[in-house]
Amino acid sequence: MSDLTTTDMDLDTAMDRYRVELTGYCYRMLGSSFDAEDAVQDTYVRAWRSYEKFEGRSSLRSWLYRIATNVCLDLLNAGNKRARPMDLSAPQHQASAVLNERPEVTWLEPVPDGRVLPQTADPAEMALAKESVRLAFVAALQHLPAKQRAVLILREVLAWKADEVARLLETTTASVNSALQRARATLAGQSLRDSDPADPLDADQAKLLEQYLSAFEAYDISRLTTLLHEDAVLSMPPFDLWLRGHEDIAAWHLNQGIGCKGSRLVPTTANGMPAFGQYRPREDGKPGHTPWALQVLEISDGKIVGLNAFLDTARWFPLFGLPEQLDEADEVQQGA
């Protein structure tokens, strides 16, 4: 890490240089896009208040990471822990599925790539960054004690040296190395499924997404299920329901989810993965479509393994810059 100073720089400008990477760090720590942005804002407020004591004894970047880590540890020590529906219950079957809503603070949240992934010209670095914010990985991080989580992110994702992490956490290098070993062992027990590299999408992945969009908008569920892995999972926060496998996912779409027929999809990205804003036909029968879900797709071995439908569109669509509604002109443009 370079030893940056701010002697001749405006502090706001200097700190803003690190906003995206700090937000990414806090997101991995907290599992919430909104909590991450609040944590970074709190970091900057604390930095402003204590800047006279900083005295350039470390790089500005290191100092900000120390403050951000303390902010995140405070939040985690207060009991903030995020999960996916798959972490909380067994899968249900479509025929007996019950929609049980849990509080917003329960759920691991999606995040726009641009909020957490700094731009880099190195394809390998960008691929690693995207892999480290995918939903499954961030969910696995939530199983780690707070300090182990910080150590693993700083060492494995951000490539800090052990002695640098030790100074940040005010502990020993041996303690950092021990924490890293324990964190790795815990993650190894999570059975994380690998995701296909998608930086950028290759021709096969692009074709898969085109086929998914076409099948979903046509509401051809038979065709859609051919794009899914045999043990693909469908989840729908804020409900804790989740379904696994072609049969239950298809049955859900044709029964409880039949209101999605006639939907339109608008492409975006989330957590380093392909995503769509889903708009359902207006309930009043008038022309146009209204927001229904942010769909985040997980892909592995050329198939879709995860359909994550985040239904709280009042939160997600503004965050992702998705339209408040689709009118007829928008739909014509989408189909062009």
Side-chain angles (χ1 to χ4, degrees):
M1 293 176 291
S2 60
D3 188 14
L4 300 173
T5 63
T6 60
T7 305
D8 301 312
M9 299 172 64
D10 176 78
L11 183 57
D12 278 334
T13 301
M15 292 195 301
D16 204 53
R17 180 186 305 172
Y18 304 109
R19 182 175 294 275
V20 173
E21 63 174 283
L22 284 170
T23 304
Y25 173 62
C26 293
Y27 174 72
R28 296 177 184 98
M29 287 287 290
L30 302 172
S32 163
S33 47
F34 292 101
D35 285 356
E37 293 196 353
D38 288 346
V40 173
Q41 193 58 36
D42 191 2
T43 295
Y44 284 4
V45 169
R46 295 190 190 188
W48 260 110
R49 289 175 177 170
S50 59
Y51 183 63
E52 290 184 358
K53 301 177 183 178
F54 170 46
E55 298 177 349
R57 286 172 293 186
S58 64
S59 72
L60 177 63
R61 181 173 182 258
S62 298
W63 184 58
L64 290 173
Y65 267 94
R66 173 178 292 183
I67 298 173
T69 299
N70 288 333
V71 170
C72 290
L73 293 178
D74 288 345
L75 290 170
L76 293 170
N77 289 336
N80 293 28
K81 182 180 179 180
R82 301 285 175 152
R84 305 173 82 187
M86 296 76 82
D87 298 320
L88 302 179
S89 63
Q92 296 187 39
H93 294 290
Q94 176 274 329
S96 57
V98 177
L99 288 174
N100 177 40
E101 186 171 351
R102 298 206 186 195
E104 171 269 321
V105 293
T106 302
W107 302 116
L108 180 73
E109 297 180 350
V111 68
D113 288 2
R115 299 289 183 104
V116 296
L117 297 176
Q119 293 301 308
T120 174
D122 187 331
E125 286 185 10
M126 180 55 75
L128 174 61
K130 287 191 172 187
E131 184 72 10
S132 71
V133 295
R134 66 188 179 98
L135 292 170
F137 182 75
V138 178
L141 290 175
Q142 306 303 300
H143 292 272
L144 299 176
K147 285 195 174 181
Q148 284 186 30
R149 198 180 309 179
V151 167
L152 185 131
I153 296 168
L154 291 166
R155 292 281 285 118
E156 302 273 271
V157 177
L158 302 177
W160 286 42
K161 297 177 181 178
D163 61 328
E164 294 171 332
V165 177
R167 286 195 295 272
L168 182 145
L169 295 176
E170 297 181 338
T171 187
T172 65
T173 300
S175 177
V176 166
N177 289 333
S178 176
L180 180 59
Q181 288 180 347
R182 294 196 301 273
R184 285 172 173 167
T186 300
L187 287 192
Q190 295 300 309
S191 301
L192 283 175
R193 173 179 253 155
D194 292 334
S195 60
D196 290 348
D199 185 35
L201 292 172
D202 63 27
D204 289 340
Q205 291 167 337
K207 182 179 179 181
L208 177 65
L209 293 180
E210 290 173 4
Q211 291 174 330
Y212 176 81
L213 187 152
S214 173
F216 196 95
E217 290 194 339
Y219 220 64
D220 185 340
I221 303 305
S222 294
R223 180 154 55 100
L224 187 146
T225 54
T226 66
L227 309 175
L228 305 181
H229 193 278
E230 61 183 9
D231 62 350
V233 166
L234 168 67
S235 65
M236 294 168 284
F239 300 110
D240 59 13
L241 167 75
W242 64 285
L243 305 168
R244 173 186 283 147
H246 288 187
E247 183 177 345
D248 280 320
I249 291 175
W252 175 269
H253 281 92
L254 293 172
N255 291 278
Q256 294 97 320
I258 195 64
C260 291
K261 187 174 183 179
S263 289
R264 296 292 178 263
L265 301 181
V266 175
T268 184
T269 58
N271 295 79
M273 299 180 291
F276 294 98
Q278 178 193 346
Y279 296 78
R280 296 210 315 189
R282 288 174 56 121
E283 292 184 355
D284 58 12
K286 294 181 180 180
H289 290 70
T290 56
W292 180 254
L294 175 73
Q295 297 186 7
V296 183
L297 274 56
E298 298 171 90
I299 299 173
S300 182
D301 297 328
K303 294 280 189 177
I304 296 169
V305 297
L307 290 170
N308 306 277
F310 294 91
L311 302 183
D312 190 356
T313 55
R315 288 167 62 80
W316 307 127
F317 277 40
L319 182 66
F320 282 81
L322 291 164
E324 293 181 4
Q325 63 180 11
L326 294 182
D327 57 29
E328 292 179 279
D330 294 323
E331 292 164 26
V332 170
Q333 185 175 7
Q334 280 295 118

